[in-house]
Amino acid sequence: MNKHLLSINDLTSEDVIRILDTADSFREVGTRVIKKVPALRGRTVVNLFYENSTRTRISFELAAKRLSADVINFSTGGSSVAKGESLKDTALTLQAMGADAIVIRHSSSGSPYALTRWVHGSVLNAGDGTHEHPTQALLDVYTIRERLGRLEGIRVAIVGDVLHSRVARSLSFALVKMGADVTLVGPPTLIPPDVAAWGVQVSHDVDAVVPKLDVCYMLRIQRERQRQQYVPSVREYSRLFGLTTRRVAMLPEGALIMHPGPMNRGVEIDSDVADLPQAVIEEQVTNGIAVRMSLLYLLLGGSAPPPGRAEDSEREEAGADA
Ligand code: CP
């Protein structure tokens, strides 16, 4: 595997399997009384978030802490960024303080690539503009494999504002890489012009696609990234592209409903639908910690083997590994 994770295209299908299998080993850690293993003891992980986040930032923080790394949470409010400090100077400052890994979220596509030129440690892309969100895609793929038992040949629709969605891009790349059959669904104005190169199909008709799915993956309308009016109204969008109770009834039995969060209940997904048993949205969040533990462990070359049994961490916590 590469030293950094900037894009799903950095990974081979074998890398993806390795990340998911390693996450399997780490998931059990989250069920223990002491949710900690010493794999990254003495290493420093910086969460460098220039954009708002709930799930990704907290998930990376928990993942690093469960691996016993030291964690620094950096957000622009309250930092010298507010005084005009550049990304480069911020990166050099973190580098000077010995960051082993920097997890970056930024509104500018390509910022994580720039960061790799200025720091020696690993860089993990936690979402850059409308470009990619690879760790979200990996936790989604993990959740699908966990629930359906396979990735090859599964039929997935990614529905909504694909144009502005870094999740849609990364998830399409990851699913296609693993042999899944992906259809992007949305109004023509919200489908990117370059999708022909993604290896996916495109539809503008949710009702035609839903009855054939194993996974229906809903996207939020990214109002903060839209520079013009892409749909006539939110009500119209909801009627044409929202996942309603009527549409859920058309899904095959056993099909999953997924969403990366944050959700706009009542817009892209009915509130009742988001709370159905086949909606695995909270499971995605839980699995995200194990997947990010796996990534930090693999990219930083953790010093201890992935845990298999509860006794390992209890023994290690007691100092037997020192
Ligand atoms: N899915 C996701 O990236 O959520 P946050 O913006 O809360 O991190």
Side-chain angles (χ1 to χ4, degrees), residues 49 52-57 105 126 133 136 166-167 220 260-262 292:
F49 276 62
N52 295 340
S53 169
T54 299
R55 280 147 286 271
T56 312
R57 195 195 60 73
R105 170 170 288 193
H133 193 347
Q136 177 70 46
R166 54 199 177 200
V167 173
R220 183 173 64 87
R292 289 173 175 126

Side-chain angles (χ1 to χ4, degrees), residues 11-23:
L11 303 171
T12 62
S13 56
E14 290 76 24
D15 290 334
V16 174
I17 300 280
R18 186 162 168 230
I19 292 163
L20 304 191
D21 289 348
T22 307

Side-chain angles (χ1 to χ4, degrees), residues 84-107:
E85 188 163 50
S86 67
L87 175 60
K88 178 176 179 179
D89 287 330
T90 302
L92 293 175
T93 302
L94 297 172
Q95 176 63 46
M97 290 179 184
D100 295 297
I102 299 181
V103 178
I104 179 171
R105 170 170 288 193
H106 203 289
S107 57

